Each structure stands twice: as structure tokens, then as C-alpha cells.
Amino acid sequence: MRAGTLLLLRHGRTAYNASGRLQGQVDIPLDDVGRWQAREGASALTASHRVTRIVASDLVRAADTAYALGEVTGLPVTLDARLRERGFGPWEGLTAAEMREGWPDEYASWRHGGEPVDGAEPRAAVAERFAAAVEEHAAGLSRDEVLCVVSHGAAISTGTTALLGLDVDAWRGLVGLANVHWAELRAGGPDAAPPWRLARYDAGAPFAREHWAAGPDWISRQPSA
């Protein structure tokens, strides 16, 4: 037995997102826009899915996004450290320009699909812990139940690759989700390989991307016609 539907939801915006800094496992909170995204995203997600269980990374930006969903659904939130973002070692907190300046060869390799700087968590290790956590939380749920996992951009794209049975060290076909957007996976049959099928990717609340990234007062800041 496992949940019939799996939703992998990225957390809301943080100050590091807004300034283009690599977060990794830095425990940075949502900013004002991120809290707005969490509320609006929860409303959009529950309009299309009847979530029955919520689990989340224990990093505060994911946990608080999950709590916003919990307020709408009335469900408790279970925290699981295996759902944390990929650790990026000495690159955490840096901009792309700072990484490129300090580690030009490693940065170029990473941008072309290789592993990042020494001290970063290997991609395969992220996939293994993420997929194990998802399968554990999905187990025991019925086919008509929906599990929502609130996590992080790199963890979700890597974990989704693993759940779809693809080689995480060789396949780079998924881009990162936007803040408070989700991937929807559906369980296959009892003997299906892989056990999950991708139904939607990067779904979210019905806002223009510029509005979503900038926050609720974006329209008021636009020049009048």
C-alpha cells in the first residue's frame, strides 16, 4: 500500500532567494513575500487536491510553508530531516558570481552537470535520503490518499529523478521548481517499474510569474497606462 498521489512542494521565498544566494542547508526563514506565497499556494493546492498527510523538511523555510498548508487543511505537519536541501558546503550563502570567482573550474563543472565543490553533498546521497523518506511516509496510505512533501528546489528535482527510476548521476532533465510550486506524481500498479509516474511539474497558484516572484503589491508598482 502507498499513497496514490504524491505532491512535492517547494518552500516560499527567502531573502537569499531574492538576492540570488545559494541556500543549501542554511536555516534561513521565509521573507514577507515567501509568507504570502505560502498562503496563496496552500489555497491553490487545496483547490485541486484533497491532501491527507503533510511532511516537511525541518529547515524553517520549508516547515513554515508546510504549516501554512496545515492551517488550510487542518492537518498536522511531520518534520523529517531527510527532506532537507542538498548541502553545498563552502558555497552556501554565496552568489553565482562569488562561486565563479572563488572556484572557477568547480563552478563551470557544476553548471555543466558535474558535482559541485568539495564538501558538498553528493547528488546520489541527496536522492537516496529523499526517496527513502518519501517512500516511508507514503507507505500505509491508501490509493485515494494524497501525501504532500514540502522541501527544497535541488532536493525535489533530484528526488523526483530517483522516484522516476532515472539515473541521478547522469540525467539532468528537471529544472528547479518556482517557490511554492509543486510536482505531482501518481503511483503505478503494484508491480510497476518505476513505481511513480510524473503527472505535472511546476504547478502553482494562478499568478503571472513576475507577480508571484515580487509579491502581492507588484501590480500597484507597475506604471499606469
Side-chain angles (χ1 to χ4, degrees):
M1 293 289 290
R2 65 156 57 90
T5 301
L6 171 62
L7 303 175
L8 304 177
L9 178 68
R10 188 186 176 203
H11 62 79
R13 198 186 84 167
T14 70
Y16 274 19
N17 288 144
S19 59
R21 295 187 178 276
L22 185 63
Q23 294 178 117
Q25 296 186 3
V26 175
D27 202 9
I28 185 171
L30 301 176
D31 62 12
D32 289 343
V33 170
R35 287 186 285 274
W36 170 77
Q37 290 173 337
R39 294 190 298 270
E40 293 291 339
S43 296
L45 190 150
T46 54
S48 57
H49 295 88
R50 186 179 64 83
V51 176
T52 52
R53 181 177 294 179
I54 305 170
V55 297
S57 159
D58 62 342
L59 296 180
V60 66
R61 60 189 183 271
D64 283 351
T65 302
Y67 292 140
L69 180 60
E71 289 181 3
V72 174
T73 60
L75 295 171
V77 174
T78 300
L79 301 183
D80 190 330
R82 293 175 295 175
L83 300 170
R84 287 184 176 188
E85 179 60 296
R86 183 181 188 180
F88 283 95
W91 281 0
E92 293 187 348
L94 302 184
T95 64
E98 290 167 339
M99 288 183 280
R100 188 185 302 111
E101 180 179 358
W103 298 266
D105 294 339
E106 293 89 340
Y107 184 80
S109 175
W110 180 51
R111 298 306 297 170
H112 285 86
E115 289 291 328
V117 67
D118 285 346
E121 185 178 12
R123 182 175 167 88
V126 181
E128 181 178 2
R129 63 171 167 82
F130 186 96
V134 167
E135 293 290 6
E136 181 180 305
H137 290 292
L141 298 180
S142 63
R143 295 278 297 191
D144 63 348
E145 291 190 273
V146 178
L147 170 65
C148 184
V149 174
V150 186
S151 186
H152 309 265
I156 290 174
S157 60
T158 304
T160 300
T161 300
L163 291 167
L164 295 176
L166 298 166
D167 184 345
V168 297
D169 288 322
W171 197 78
R172 299 289 196 276
L174 294 177
V175 298
L177 297 169
N179 291 115
V180 199
H181 280 55
W182 60 87
E184 178 183 344
L185 283 72
R186 296 177 185 163
D191 299 319
W196 297 98
R197 303 290 190 269
L198 184 62
R200 299 182 72 191
Y201 195 80
D202 210 23
F207 289 85
R209 284 303 173 102
E210 295 85 354
H211 188 176
W212 187 248
D217 61 345
W218 176 78
I219 292 177
S220 67
R221 300 201 305 267
Q222 303 311 299
S224 57

Coordinates of all heavy atoms in Angstrom, one line a residue, residues 4 11 53 105 113 115 147 150 159 163 171 201 209 211 218 224:
G4 N -1.8 7.2 -3.4 CA -2.0 7.2 -4.8 C -1.4 8.4 -5.5 O -1.1 8.4 -6.7
H11 N 9.4 25.3 -0.9 CA 9.1 26.3 0.1 C 8.9 27.7 -0.6 O 9.3 27.9 -1.7 CB 10.3 26.4 1.1 CG 11.6 26.8 0.5 ND1 11.9 28.1 0.1 CD2 12.6 26.0 0.1 CE1 13.1 28.1 -0.4 NE2 13.6 26.8 -0.5
R53 N -2.0 13.9 4.2 CA -0.8 13.9 5.1 C 0.2 14.9 4.6 O 0.4 15.0 3.4 CB -0.2 12.5 5.2 CG 1.0 12.4 6.1 CD 1.6 11.0 6.2 NE 0.6 10.1 6.8 CZ 0.9 8.8 7.0 NH1 2.0 8.3 6.6 NH2 0.0 8.0 7.6
D105 N 36.9 26.6 -11.8 CA 36.8 25.2 -12.5 C 35.6 24.4 -11.9 O 34.9 23.8 -12.7 CB 38.1 24.5 -12.3 CG 39.3 25.1 -13.0 OD1 39.0 25.9 -14.0 OD2 40.4 24.9 -12.6
G113 N 26.7 20.0 -15.3 CA 26.2 18.7 -14.9 C 27.0 17.9 -14.0 O 26.7 16.8 -13.6
E115 N 29.6 17.4 -10.4 CA 29.4 17.6 -9.0 C 30.0 19.0 -8.6 O 30.9 19.5 -9.3 CB 30.1 16.6 -8.2 CG 29.5 15.2 -8.2 CD 28.1 15.2 -7.5 OE1 28.0 15.9 -6.5 OE2 27.2 14.4 -7.9
L147 N -0.3 12.5 -0.4 CA 0.8 12.9 0.5 C 1.4 14.1 -0.1 O 1.8 14.1 -1.2 CB 1.8 11.7 0.6 CG 3.2 12.1 1.2 CD1 3.0 12.4 2.7 CD2 4.2 10.9 1.1
V150 N 6.9 18.8 1.7 CA 7.3 20.2 1.5 C 8.9 20.2 1.7 O 9.4 19.9 2.7 CB 6.7 21.2 2.5 CG1 7.1 22.6 2.1 CG2 5.2 21.0 2.4
G159 N 15.3 14.3 -6.1 CA 14.5 13.2 -5.5 C 13.5 12.7 -6.6 O 13.2 11.5 -6.7
L163 N 12.8 8.9 -7.9 CA 11.5 8.3 -7.8 C 11.0 7.8 -9.2 O 10.2 6.9 -9.2 CB 10.5 9.2 -7.2 CG 10.7 9.6 -5.7 CD1 9.9 10.7 -5.2 CD2 10.4 8.3 -4.8
W171 N 21.3 12.0 -15.5 CA 20.1 12.6 -16.1 C 19.8 13.9 -15.4 O 19.7 14.0 -14.1 CB 18.9 11.7 -16.0 CG 17.8 12.1 -16.9 CD1 17.7 11.9 -18.3 CD2 16.6 12.8 -16.6 NE1 16.6 12.4 -18.8 CE2 15.8 12.9 -17.8 CE3 16.1 13.3 -15.4 CZ2 14.6 13.6 -17.8 CZ3 14.8 13.9 -15.4 CH2 14.1 14.1 -16.6
Y201 N 4.4 19.1 -13.4 CA 5.6 19.6 -12.9 C 5.6 21.2 -12.9 O 5.2 21.8 -13.9 CB 6.8 19.1 -13.6 CG 8.1 19.3 -12.9 CD1 8.5 18.5 -11.9 CD2 9.0 20.4 -13.2 CE1 9.7 18.6 -11.2 CE2 10.2 20.6 -12.5 CZ 10.5 19.7 -11.5 OH 11.7 19.9 -10.8
R209 N 4.2 35.1 -13.5 CA 5.5 34.8 -12.8 C 6.1 36.0 -12.2 O 6.7 35.9 -11.1 CB 6.5 34.1 -13.7 CG 6.1 32.6 -14.0 CD 6.1 31.8 -12.7 NE 5.6 30.4 -12.9 CZ 6.4 29.4 -13.0 NH1 7.7 29.5 -12.9 NH2 5.9 28.2 -13.1
H211 N 4.6 38.7 -11.0 CA 3.8 39.0 -9.8 C 4.1 38.0 -8.7 O 4.3 38.4 -7.5 CB 2.3 38.9 -10.2 CG 1.4 39.4 -9.1 ND1 0.0 39.4 -9.3 CD2 1.6 39.8 -7.9 CE1 -0.6 39.9 -8.2 NE2 0.4 40.1 -7.3
W218 N 2.9 43.9 -6.3 CA 3.6 44.0 -7.6 C 2.7 44.9 -8.6 O 3.2 45.8 -9.3 CB 3.8 42.7 -8.2 CG 4.4 42.7 -9.6 CD1 5.7 42.9 -10.0 CD2 3.7 42.5 -10.9 NE1 5.8 42.9 -11.3 CE2 4.6 42.6 -11.9 CE3 2.3 42.2 -11.2 CZ2 4.3 42.4 -13.2 CZ3 2.0 42.0 -12.5 CH2 2.9 42.1 -13.5
S224 N 1.3 53.3 -14.7 CA -0.1 53.3 -15.3 C 0.0 53.5 -16.8 O 1.0 54.0 -17.4 CB -0.9 54.5 -14.7 OG -0.2 55.7 -14.9

